[in-house]
Amino acid sequence: EWLNDALSAEDWPDQSAALQLLLDSWITSNPPGRGDGWHSYTLSLRTRNWIALFRACPALATSERLQALWQQLCWLEAHPEHCHGGNHWLENLTALAIGGLQFDGPKASRMHRRAMRLMQRELGQQVLSDGGHEERSASYHLLMLDRLAELAHALQITTNNQPSWLMEAIEAMAHWAELIRLESGEAPRFNDSAADAAPPLYAVLAFANAVLPQESPSD
């Protein structure tokens, strides 16, 4: 997650010097399928962040690193967390949907289409009628809203096609986040809601609103 912050930081050029070593060290130190680094949840987070890094800094996307990224995505697709459901399953599907957009070819296309199909089904179940996430945690809700906004953004810049069901879920979840915002501007801490478990509410809302279609001013 550090690299996403580094991408927008003023000292990004200095910090980027360490990234090649970090990427290559992870690849050589974590053989496929071994250790916590190959847990489906950590794979979901890492692959999304690597994709953001490679898109921002194409020179870092060497053939070896792209092969490692593809290997992680394939492992994730073969070891999903659908048995857990909830936010973990959505994390998996978001990573696979975005990951499928990163590569060319029929396998990547199938990965993307399958993830999007499953995502549509899950959002129909996990986003409740009031727009809140089914786990009733403000932290999980904001995390999932942030992920969906990231997916919508990736779709916009790669395919220029954002399905209506995705945008409707983002709009409903953004509305729920607005409703539960405290006078301090923060999200309430109920259920599993550690203080640093999700980005700030204002930041997630800004991202969500940025990817939603903007209404044209009335005449």
Side-chain angles (χ1 to χ4, degrees), residues 26-39 42-43 46 75:
W26 192 91
I27 293 169
T28 57
S29 301
N30 292 272
R34 295 186 183 180
D36 291 340
W38 286 86
H39 187 281
T42 54
L43 283 173
R46 183 185 310 104
W75 180 273

Side-chain angles (χ1 to χ4, degrees), residues 35-84:
D36 291 340
W38 286 86
H39 187 281
S40 298
Y41 185 79
T42 54
L43 283 173
S44 298
L45 303 186
R46 183 185 310 104
T47 52
R48 285 179 30 259
N49 286 316
W50 279 29
I51 290 169
L53 174 63
F54 293 163
R55 288 189 176 276
C57 308
L60 289 173
T62 64
S63 59
E64 292 81 6
R65 294 166 191 156
L66 286 171
Q67 177 61 30
L69 172 61
W70 178 246
Q71 190 174 43
Q72 292 175 69
L73 289 167
C74 291
W75 180 273
L76 173 60
E77 187 174 38
H79 299 80
E81 295 182 282
H82 55 71
C83 59
H84 298 309

Side-chain angles (χ1 to χ4, degrees), residues 27-198:
I27 293 169
T28 57
S29 301
N30 292 272
R34 295 186 183 180
D36 291 340
W38 286 86
H39 187 281
S40 298
Y41 185 79
T42 54
L43 283 173
S44 298
L45 303 186
R46 183 185 310 104
T47 52
R48 285 179 30 259
N49 286 316
W50 279 29
I51 290 169
L53 174 63
F54 293 163
R55 288 189 176 276
C57 308
L60 289 173
T62 64
S63 59
E64 292 81 6
R65 294 166 191 156
L66 286 171
Q67 177 61 30
L69 172 61
W70 178 246
Q71 190 174 43
Q72 292 175 69
L73 289 167
C74 291
W75 180 273
L76 173 60
E77 187 174 38
H79 299 80
E81 295 182 282
H82 55 71
C83 59
H84 298 309
N87 70 93
H88 276 231
W89 184 212
L90 291 184
E91 289 277 13
N92 297 168
L93 292 175
T94 302
L96 292 169
I98 294 175
L101 294 173
Q102 178 69 18
F103 295 91
D104 297 323
K107 291 184 178 180
S109 180
R110 284 196 297 270
M111 176 184 289
H112 171 74
R113 292 197 307 270
R114 178 176 180 273
M116 292 294 288
R117 184 174 66 253
L118 293 171
M119 176 73 79
Q120 181 179 11
R121 185 187 70 184
E122 284 303 309
L123 291 181
Q125 298 174 359
Q126 294 199 32
V127 180
L128 304 183
S129 59
D130 64 354
H133 184 252
E134 65 175 355
E135 293 182 78
R136 287 315 201 210
S137 158
S139 292
Y140 290 163
H141 180 96
L142 292 175
L143 274 176
M144 295 306 98
L145 177 54
D146 188 65
R147 299 295 186 258
L148 296 183
E150 184 177 353
L151 174 58
H153 177 68
L155 288 166
Q156 181 64 34
I157 63 177
T158 54
T159 69
N160 198 31
N161 180 30
Q162 299 164 308
S164 58
W165 55 263
L166 175 62
M167 307 313 290
E168 288 167 2
I170 292 173
E171 184 175 17
M173 294 182 76
H175 180 64
W176 189 88
E178 289 274 14
L179 291 177
I180 57 96
R181 178 161 46 184
L182 302 176
E183 290 184 359
S184 64
E186 298 177 352
R189 301 271 300 279
F190 54 83
N191 293 334
D192 190 357
S193 293
D196 59 351

